[in-house]
Amino acid sequence: MPHQLPPLNALRIFEVTARAGSYTEAAKELNLTHGAVSRQIQLLEHSLGQPLFRKEGQRMVATGHAKAFAREISAAFDHISDASRRYGKNAASKVIRVNAPATLAMRWLIPQLAEFRARHPATEVRISTAFSHDPVLKGSFDVAIRRAPGDQTQFEVAPLFTENTTVIASAALLGGRALKTPRQLEKAVLLSTESRPGDWENWLGAAGCADLRPMQTLRFDHFFVTLQAVVDGMGFGIGTFPTLAADVELGRLVTPFPRWQVPGSAYFVLVPLDSDKPKHLREFLAWLHAASERAAQ
């Protein structure tokens, strides 16, 4: 199905005008007349069926709707520019764009990238993050990591690792105490996550405490928020491993009941089927899978 696009030159002039803040400044940047800018904006407004600028005094100012539209257009132009550099005749840069869930990226992937950079200093790895429920195709990437394999007709899919979950807390919250039994959590504050329903129920069931009722339960929308609350000593949470292994090694977190663990989410590596597989991408994928194998040991 052909793309239904507004006039591309008008889009380019609109993006500059919204960023510059006025027709006059855009005309200077583009080396056009004020009238030429105005005509292109009118052409785009006609195509979209609604105004993008309103007059304030002697200036034409972008509407809130236009500012949001301009951000989307600017991001699209960035992707086009990036693709042109990467696939152009003189492309020489080694860049790998990785999109991963926020917690996995911050707690597991990024802390290990120093090792990859030491081995491959000429390759730049750019990390973008997504919420775990974001669609796989959102954004532009060379490699994606997701908790579901996605559309296997569009991607090469390989398993990364499967997490295990157990209770986590800050060392300050425990104050040097060793908890002997999960029943002691009845006097505690339990922290849960809306995007990971059932974590506490599954773990308490595995620990033989399905009927346990804590002193208080606090719920957060995303896991990285819950994790920060745990680090700050607000209560006990359910942590995922090996994702949080570095936090335990550094003493930011402790696992008071390591004996009781429950299988968690499986993560997969996705590479678009129609993408090039240059040497530096193959090297990154090999390193990524080796890192996952070490984490599983």
Side-chain angles (χ1 to χ4, degrees):
M1 181 177 178
H3 295 294
Q4 296 181 351
L5 297 175
L8 293 181
N9 189 48
L11 277 178
R12 181 179 68 89
I13 292 174
F14 161 72
E15 190 271 338
V16 173
T17 306
R19 173 166 45 80
S22 74
Y23 285 20
T24 300
E25 292 302 318
K28 290 179 181 177
E29 181 174 334
L30 294 166
N31 196 28
L32 297 172
T33 66
H34 186 283
V37 170
S38 178
R39 285 191 295 273
Q40 290 298 316
I41 297 299
Q42 290 175 7
L43 180 63
L44 182 59
E45 289 176 330
H46 177 75
S47 175
L48 296 176
Q50 64 177 319
L52 296 170
F53 291 82
R54 63 176 182 272
K55 192 167 185 178
E56 292 187 1
Q58 298 300 314
R59 300 174 65 240
M60 297 297 290
V61 178
T63 65
H65 179 84
K67 291 177 181 177
F69 182 46
R71 287 192 294 269
E72 298 278 357
I73 296 303
S74 181
F77 283 156
D78 286 343
H79 287 313
I80 294 171
S81 177
D82 180 61
S84 298
R85 288 193 301 270
R86 287 159 53 81
Y87 295 102
K89 181 178 180 180
N90 297 320
S93 63
K94 298 180 180 179
V95 177
I96 299 170
R97 301 163 300 168
V98 182
N99 185 271
T103 301
L104 184 79
M106 292 186 292
R107 301 297 197 182
W108 185 78
L109 181 56
I110 291 174
Q112 300 193 73
L113 281 179
E115 179 193 43
F116 179 80
R117 287 198 301 270
R119 295 184 181 185
H120 307 282
T123 301
E124 177 186 353
V125 180
R126 298 177 184 173
I127 306 293
S128 61
T129 61
F131 294 130
S132 58
H133 58 270
D134 277 351
V136 167
L137 289 174
K138 186 175 181 179
S140 180
F141 56 83
D142 302 300
V143 179
I145 300 175
R146 287 294 187 273
R147 288 165 60 185
D151 183 358
Q152 299 192 42
T153 66
Q154 301 293 322
F155 300 94
E156 293 181 8
V157 180
L160 186 62
F161 56 67
T162 297
E163 294 179 316
N164 288 317
T165 69
T166 189
V167 175
I168 55 173
S170 69
L173 180 65
L174 293 181
R177 296 177 295 121
L179 300 184
K180 298 180 180 180
T181 170
R183 282 286 172 190
Q184 291 175 272
L185 294 174
E186 288 180 329
K187 299 179 180 180
V189 177
L190 304 189
L191 310 177
S192 63
T193 308
E194 292 178 4
S195 62
R196 298 192 176 195
D199 276 2
W200 269 112
E201 290 80 0
N202 293 338
W203 187 87
L204 289 171
C209 300
D211 60 339
L212 184 144
R213 297 295 179 267
M215 179 178 68
Q216 185 181 9
T217 299
L218 298 178
R219 187 178 298 273
F220 302 92
D221 53 355
H222 295 291
F223 181 63
F224 58 83
V225 182
T226 304
L227 181 59
Q228 187 60 51
V230 173
V231 171
D232 290 341
M234 293 181 63
F236 294 83
I238 295 294
T240 54
F241 293 86
T243 303
L244 301 180
D247 289 87
V248 173
E249 293 173 5
L250 295 172
R252 285 195 291 259
L253 295 172
V254 295
T255 54
F257 306 110
R259 170 184 168 189
W260 288 281
Q261 298 202 13
V262 176
S265 299
Y267 284 91
F268 298 85
V269 177
L270 295 89
V271 179
L273 284 173
D274 58 354
S275 68
D276 289 340
K277 307 295 188 301
K279 183 173 182 289
H280 60 276
L281 177 56
R282 298 194 303 271
E283 289 171 342
F284 177 78
L285 291 172
W287 170 84
L288 185 63
H289 288 295
S292 73
E293 291 175 0
R294 290 194 301 269
Q297 294 175 354

